[in-house]
Amino acid sequence: QTLDGATSDVVTANAEPSKASENKDKLKMPAGEIWIEQTSSNQVNKDEQAEAIQKLKDVNSGIAGDIKSVKFSIDGTDHAYYEVTYTDGSTSGQVEAPDLKIKQVTDYSRGATLGSITIVDNVIKGQLAGEGPFDGIKVQIILSLSDAVKDSYCDKGKCLVDKDTSDPVDATVNGETGEFSYTIPNPDLKLDQKVGVTVKEPHKFKSCSQTTVKPVKVEKIEVRDPRKVTADDKKAIDAAIRKAYTVNGESKLPNG
């Protein structure tokens, strides 16, 4: 059999064109703008990759069923490329998207203010800076910054993390007020633990902030003479401390 001018001496099945061959003239490249943070090193992060892939899918709905995966890459701010892998394993090769303009990200996302966190809290709350609306803003919580990065996490907006830092979790953001919150499933906060927050607005660098887990505010106990605390006074103070550090019947005081 022959296909595209090539002849095979040994045939085990009917010759059929690949998906890449079938869609060569159907594959369309998107136009518009794509914002990239690291253009100088030709790095496309996860969010940027997802946005670029969606742009390609939006203009190729007619062949969506043939597409298995897409890879997006850049060469500085001058060239944007796509490589499509089809469901039969064939690929388009690297195809340039000349009408997709690469824009360098320059601005940072707005900041956020975290509420105080104590070792018995199970909800973290905060407030985005500035005026709304706050739609499309992603806020993530890092419950435990490692010792190696806790003092440099916010260094020049890099939001530094390492392998010992806990995985970020998404907070719920109120699009009207800018308030955000995250409920910790099983609170395991420790005194002086560093908690980080990142804010990501579309087409901007992340901003980051952090706070420290504080002790619980304990109810004050009145005593007759602070210079001579009686056994009953001590018992009342002991009970107040234990009460403040107990959540749902579980003590959050250190062992011992």
Side-chain angles (χ1 to χ4, degrees), residues 161-214:
V161 296
D162 62 9
K163 63 181 180 62
D164 296 320
T165 300
S166 63
D167 293 331
V169 290
D170 293 333
T172 301
V173 181
N174 186 311
E176 295 183 0
T177 66
E179 295 173 321
F180 61 87
S181 63
Y182 174 73
T183 301
I184 308 172
N186 294 299
D188 189 21
L189 300 176
K190 295 179 175 59
L191 195 62
D192 296 329
Q193 179 174 324
K194 297 287 186 179
V195 177
V197 172
T198 62
V199 179
K200 181 69 171 68
E201 295 185 72
H203 309 152
K204 293 183 180 181
F205 290 111
K206 289 179 180 178
S207 71
C208 46
S209 56
Q210 68 178 51
T211 191
T212 304
V213 178
K214 299 294 185 181

Side-chain angles (χ1 to χ4, degrees), residues 230-247:
T230 67
D232 287 342
D233 292 336
K234 292 180 179 180
K235 186 176 180 180
I237 292 170
D238 181 287
I241 293 172
R242 293 181 185 277
K243 179 181 177 181
Y245 280 84
T246 301
V247 179

